[in-house]
Amino acid sequence: MAVTLQTLILTPRPSKMLSSWHRNSHFRASGSLRFSPFVTFSPGRSISRPIRACRPSDQDFASSTGLNWAKPLLKIAADNFLPLALIGGVAFGFANPSLGCLADKYQLSKFSTFAIFIVSGLTLRSEEIGAAAEAWPVGIFGLFSILLFTPYFSKLILQVQLQPQEFVTGLALFSCMPTTLSSGVALTHLAGGNSALALAMTIISNLLGIMIVPFSISKFIAAGVGISVPTKQLFKSLVLTLLIPLILGKVLRESITGLSEFVDQNRKLLSKISAIFLSLVPWMQVSRSRSLLLMVKPQVFLVAIWMGTLLHLILLASNAFSVWSLSVISGDAQSVFAKKENTNAVVLVASQKTLPVLVAVVEQLGGAFGESGLLVLPCVAAHLTQIIMDSFLVNFWLRRDKDLSSNNAKVA
């Protein structure tokens, strides 16, 4: 049986053209089908167009290639939204300070700080706190380390002579802060640690920090630089800008029907919104202090970054050693201090310091310790550094656990 593909193309032909079937249109023994390149089907009318395969245009191919390149970049941006937002805020403040100065003039920083803790209250799940009750001794040690032990490092930081002095003072303030609002809990979850314990330490340390931080600043830093801090006024300001919006967000979550489900389903979106609000603060402060920051030598800023990195390494080492010592003292392999899940949680959470509370404190101090932009900038760098370092630490723990599991499987 001959098979042809017929398409009508009306073209004038010689009058005595005979329609013919080409001999080479046939089935091969293998069963494949081959078409003739030219097929005629009637006198005076013929098919003279070769059969061509369809392919995407160059424009479609280029756009598809572009999307393939963009997807990994978008994933990286989504996974590292907070660091990128903070870096973007600082860079935009340097590039175009006029807009940031205008926002600072209308006190947008107070609104952004209020919004950050509204979001924190909305995402606060109280039922998870009860899951940490079993490991309460570890939680108490974590709170002691965060609020009472690590502020002592501010005295050591103040011994460093660096110009501008605000870099040193800012890092000293940073060491007096409570733990991060989200990074510690997220990294604990990734490491397979006790997320409920991490969340409980985060919530309680930030609530108690509103009362303790003003006294820590007055005792460890103000005396060191010869400045008196209005502790009561600072406490009142932190209650208004941190505690009230946190409680308000929590009340809204519990009182509005369906809001908690919506928040839990959109936690990633809300964390990005919170990161945007947080990035507005360094943007405004860097915009306001741009002229002073341009006078700072790059090597001086690198020294400040190195100091922040060293501070975090010391906190990690001291907390890890303390937990190990407590597990040895307890003498029980089943002790809460000996459990890897609890150890991972307390080492991560107790070694990190929060940037939003620092920003709120610096705003309320009103320049008592120097130019706010110079105070905040090294702390932004320290905040980013601690997240990056702890990410590598979590990956190390995960690889170690994977290797141990594979070795145990081989032995079995």
Side-chain angles (χ1 to χ4, degrees), residues 158 218-227:
L158 290 174
S218 179
K219 179 180 179 180
F220 296 115
I221 301 176
V225 297
I227 296 174

Side-chain angles (χ1 to χ4, degrees), residues 126-353:
S126 55
E127 62 272 11
E128 292 184 350
I129 302 175
E134 180 185 352
W136 65 266
V138 183
I140 290 177
F141 165 77
L143 294 175
F144 170 81
S145 176
I146 294 167
L147 298 173
L148 300 177
F149 174 65
T150 56
Y152 276 93
F153 287 100
S154 61
K155 282 192 171 185
L156 296 176
I157 295 171
L158 290 174
Q159 302 305 313
V160 178
Q161 299 298 319
L162 191 67
Q163 293 298 327
Q165 185 63 29
E166 284 91 339
F167 279 7
V168 177
T169 308
L171 289 172
L173 288 169
F174 192 60
S175 67
C176 294
M177 296 299 114
T179 189
T180 51
L181 296 172
S182 59
S183 303
V185 178
L187 289 169
T188 300
H189 177 72
L190 290 174
N194 191 336
S195 300
L197 176 63
L199 180 64
M201 287 189 292
T202 299
I203 296 168
I204 297 172
S205 69
N206 278 273
L207 292 177
L208 293 178
I210 296 172
M211 298 181 286
I212 295 175
V213 164
F215 295 98
S216 298
I217 293 173
S218 179
K219 179 180 179 180
F220 296 115
I221 301 176
V225 297
I227 296 174
S228 62
V229 175
T231 307
K232 291 183 179 180
Q233 183 179 352
L234 180 58
F235 172 73
K236 181 180 177 181
S237 299
L238 291 179
V239 168
L240 292 174
T241 56
L242 275 65
L243 184 59
I244 289 180
L246 185 69
I247 294 174
L248 179 60
K250 179 62 177 173
V251 169
L252 291 174
R253 175 186 173 90
E254 300 298 334
S255 59
I256 299 178
T257 305
L259 181 60
S260 59
E261 289 80 4
F262 174 81
V263 169
D264 291 340
Q265 292 172 1
N266 296 274
R267 294 182 77 86
K268 289 185 177 180
L269 174 62
L270 289 173
S271 66
K272 289 181 173 62
I273 293 173
S274 181
I276 292 172
F277 282 126
L278 180 58
S279 67
L280 293 177
V281 179
W283 165 57
M284 287 179 280
Q285 292 176 340
V286 168
S287 298
R288 188 175 60 193
S289 308
R290 181 177 180 270
S291 58
L292 292 174
L293 291 171
L294 291 176
M295 297 170 62
V296 177
K297 296 179 180 179
Q299 55 267 33
V300 174
F301 185 60
L302 290 176
V303 171
I305 294 176
W306 178 84
M307 288 174 58
T309 304
L310 182 61
L311 171 65
H312 187 58
L313 284 173
I314 293 173
L315 295 181
L316 284 172
S318 60
N319 284 313
F321 178 76
S322 299
V323 173
W324 175 79
S325 300
L326 290 171
S327 66
V328 171
I329 292 171
S330 65
D332 185 3
Q334 301 300 320
S335 167
V336 290
F337 289 100
K339 291 184 178 180
K340 182 188 66 176
E341 294 81 5
N342 298 335
T343 301
N344 290 351
V346 74
V347 169
L348 288 172
V349 173
S351 303
Q352 293 188 359
K353 296 296 178 180

